[in-house]
Amino acid sequence: MEYTTVLTHQPGQPWRAVVPVLPDCTAEASTRQEVLAKIQECIQEVVQHTEILQIEVQAMPKNGNLTVVAENGVEPASAPLTTPWHFFGIFQNDPQWGQIFEEIEQEREQNLIGD
């Protein structure tokens, strides 16, 4: 498996490597090769003891502009959104988002059915 690693170096400073998806994976060394070896070891160590899973929670993120309305027009206290990431990103109010999402879902369903 490959992990995106951010490698930085400033003159007079050690090389530094960070794996954004694994917060505990960081390394420093005096050479590029050495920091790459260290970060690879760190990734292997962390991954050996890591389990990746999805955890469902009932709480919704706070958003003062988000109103959840059920299909019957009633505004329940904890109704799930049909698109759970509606509150993310700069495109949340873009009128074309729904159309793009529908096209993606249709293509995905066609690919799943065709297999």
Side-chain angles (χ1 to χ4, degrees), residues 33-115:
Q33 294 78 13
E34 191 179 358
V35 78
L36 290 174
K38 284 184 173 185
I39 199 68
Q40 187 176 23
E41 289 176 23
C42 184
I43 292 169
Q44 289 175 353
E45 179 65 27
V46 169
V47 170
Q48 286 179 18
H49 305 286
T50 301
E51 182 178 357
I52 299 171
L53 33 114
Q54 299 281 330
I55 298 176
E56 184 176 334
V57 295
Q58 298 301 315
M60 294 290 290
K62 291 181 181 180
N63 184 335
N65 298 327
L66 180 63
T67 302
V68 178
V69 179
E71 290 180 24
N72 62 5
V74 177
E75 191 175 315
S78 62
L81 295 173
T82 56
T83 307
W85 52 85
H86 180 269
F87 46 83
F88 285 108
I90 61 173
F91 300 107
Q92 72 182 36
N93 296 320
D94 187 331
Q96 294 179 337
W97 173 251
Q99 179 184 353
I100 292 169
F101 182 73
E102 284 295 320
E103 290 172 8
I104 292 169
E105 286 296 310
Q106 288 173 1
E107 185 173 328
R108 180 175 163 248
E109 285 181 22
Q110 288 174 353
N111 290 335
L112 290 175
I113 293 169
D115 288 343

Side-chain angles (χ1 to χ4, degrees), residues 7-16 29-32:
L7 191 62
T8 56
H9 181 252
Q10 295 181 7
Q13 300 289 321
W15 285 82
R16 188 159 160 68
S30 57
T31 67
R32 185 178 191 276

Side-chain angles (χ1 to χ4, degrees), residues 1-6 18-25 43 46-47 50 52:
M1 185 164 201
E2 294 181 354
Y3 290 88
T4 299
T5 303
V6 178
V18 177
V19 181
V21 298
L22 300 172
D24 294 334
C25 281
I43 292 169
V46 169
V47 170
T50 301
I52 299 171

